[in-house]
Amino acid sequence: MLRRLAEQFEISSSVHVAANNIERDADWYLLKLQEEMGELTQAWNRLTGRGRAKGRSPEDMQRDLADETADVFGHLLLFARHNDLDLAAAIERKWRFQPQSR
């Protein structure tokens, strides 16, 4: 399941970087993940009243939080794929359960 998702994110990311003339070197994957974590933190701060609402409603801020979480998840999968990491095996080893495949 995770590998399939990673492939789908790779397809989407490849289209995006090609359209925007972005070079993805080895550092890009980690730097982009860090950038997305910053955006997730910003969305959390906004939602919890620690940042400017910028005219966003609570529903908008909740959706922003979900969207930024999706970005972090996608970039984490891209990072793992680029570095040939077996996340399913790591989850089993570290969290002691098997991710279910659908």
Side-chain angles (χ1 to χ4, degrees), residues 31-43 68 72:
L31 294 172
K32 189 65 178 173
L33 179 58
Q34 183 65 40
E35 176 187 335
E36 295 301 339
M37 275 301 303
E39 292 175 11
L40 176 60
T41 303
Q42 183 179 45
E68 295 306 334
V72 168

Side-chain angles (χ1 to χ4, degrees), residues 8-100:
Q8 290 173 306
F9 277 104
E10 173 58 31
I11 291 166
S12 182
S13 179
S14 293
V15 169
H16 173 76
V17 298
N20 292 285
N21 199 28
I22 297 170
E23 180 184 341
R24 295 188 302 174
D25 60 11
D27 290 341
W28 180 89
Y29 293 90
L30 185 59
L31 294 172
K32 189 65 178 173
L33 179 58
Q34 183 65 40
E35 176 187 335
E36 295 301 339
M37 275 301 303
E39 292 175 11
L40 176 60
T41 303
Q42 183 179 45
W44 175 253
N45 285 344
R46 193 175 301 130
L47 180 66
T48 59
R50 295 180 185 106
R52 293 178 292 135
K54 296 183 178 180
R56 308 288 287 158
S57 71
E59 294 79 18
D60 290 339
M61 290 188 283
Q62 185 71 30
R63 187 174 41 252
D64 292 344
L65 186 66
D67 289 352
E68 295 306 334
T69 301
D71 284 349
V72 168
F73 181 66
H75 282 283
L76 180 62
L77 290 177
L78 288 171
F79 176 82
R81 182 185 178 282
H82 177 77
N83 289 288
D84 198 27
L85 304 177
D86 185 344
L87 288 183
I91 290 168
E92 285 182 46
R93 185 173 55 254
K94 294 287 293 183
W95 289 81
R96 299 179 186 194
F97 72 86
Q98 292 185 338
Q100 297 205 8

